Amino acid sequence: MKKNVLILSVVVGILFSGTVAAGWGGINIPTPPPPVIPTPPPPVIVTPPSLPTPEQAREAMGKALSEVVNDGSDIVNTSLDTQTSISSQILGDEISGIVEVVNIPNRQVVSYSTTAVKGIAYVIETGDLELIAELFANPVLAQSSVLLAAELQRSRDTHYPRSKPVPTAIKSVLRHIFPNSVLERARYTIGTVQPTLQNLVNKTRKGKHANHAIVADDVIVFSSEPSLSEPSLNDLKFWAHEIRHVAQYQEWSVLGFAKRYIKDWEDVEADADSYGEKAKN
Ligand SMILES: [Zn+2]
């Protein structure tokens, strides 16, 4: 009996499992309902901090750089002055004079690196990022441009105190080719400009005009007295050429001018010559 029950339950079990298996095969599994996507909470709108525009960022960077350089060069110059004054107290004026001479290269380094960073600060401020990129990509050009810019800046600072505004007679006949801002900014003096540029200009420009001039930023340094009134056409051409250089400095910065002069001095001069020609018309 027990054996029969066992067999029966096995048979029922097989049948039952067969039914179940057959049943699964035949059932249509309903397409599951689309998942319920919870509605996301409304985004929290954060007011973005007011970011500076690229122009504002550049200007801020440029100003910060300038300030750092001014502070830095003040510190170095003050410490050099202190060295000189201490040595003069301890060793007497004669020896301290030697200390001062020894310090000249240090002061030049200060002046050159100041010019370099000021130049970079300037181009950042004015947005002439092309100039920065070009100088960073070409260390030789960067170095020579900075040295020339420093020389030009020193020449300009040396000559500026004795310089005079462009004579009214000249300005009034050149108004048709230069904006007032350029004519009012340009100044002139008589003198010589220190080595680098002097040599460069003498090599390239000799013989074009009996008088010759070098422009250091806003100061035109003539080698001899230029015509101040009743200028001939040639005089006007000469003045216009030099005043165009003043405008170039204004447009490109001292560093930018130095870079262009080293790289393409002929282009820079051709541009100035074109104004010389305009002056005659
Ligand atoms: Zn020129």
Side-chain angles (χ1 to χ4, degrees), residues 100-160:
E100 187 48 32
V101 171
V102 168
N103 273 333
I104 288 174
N106 291 332
R107 291 195 198 271
Q108 275 175 339
V109 168
V110 172
S111 142
Y112 289 163
S113 43
T114 304
T115 307
V117 182
K118 270 190 181 163
I120 291 167
Y122 176 86
V123 285
I124 289 174
E125 257 181 81
T126 56
D128 193 351
L129 298 179
E130 246 172 65
L131 175 58
I132 295 193
E134 194 181 353
L135 294 181
F136 271 108
N138 187 340
V140 175
L141 179 63
Q143 198 182 7
S144 46
S145 303
V146 166
L147 287 175
L148 179 54
E151 284 295 334
L152 290 166
Q153 191 62 55
R154 285 196 321 159
S155 296
R156 185 266 179 199
D157 294 345
T158 307
H159 288 291
Y160 191 87

Side-chain angles (χ1 to χ4, degrees), residues 201 205 213 215 241-242 245 248 261 268-269 272-273:
V201 171
R205 306 294 292 173
V215 182
H241 176 106
E242 305 307 336
H245 282 315
Q248 289 171 337
Y261 214 92
V268 175
E269 291 300 341
D273 279 342

Side-chain angles (χ1 to χ4, degrees), residues 52 63 172 223 239 248 280:
K63 283 197 176 128
S172 63
S223 63
W239 272 103
Q248 289 171 337
K280 288 167 52 170

Side-chain angles (χ1 to χ4, degrees), residues 17 23 40 68 79 99 103 134 157 165 185 211 216 237 240 254 264 281:
S17 66
V68 167
S79 98
V99 172
N103 273 333
E134 194 181 353
D157 294 345
R185 185 167 178 268
N211 191 353
K237 190 179 161 187
V254 176
D264 308 299
N281 299 326

Side-chain angles (χ1 to χ4, degrees), residues 52 62 67 97 138 150 165 183 206 230:
E67 275 163 31
N138 187 340
L183 292 173
K206 228 174 198 168
E230 293 179 32

Side-chain angles (χ1 to χ4, degrees), residues 161-173:
R162 282 182 296 111
S163 68
K164 295 175 220 163
V166 172
T168 316
I170 305 293
K171 281 196 281 199
S172 63
V173 282

Side-chain angles (χ1 to χ4, degrees), residues 220-231:
I220 303 167
V221 186
F222 289 103
S223 63
S224 56
E225 190 75 39
S227 314
L228 303 179
S229 58
E230 293 179 32

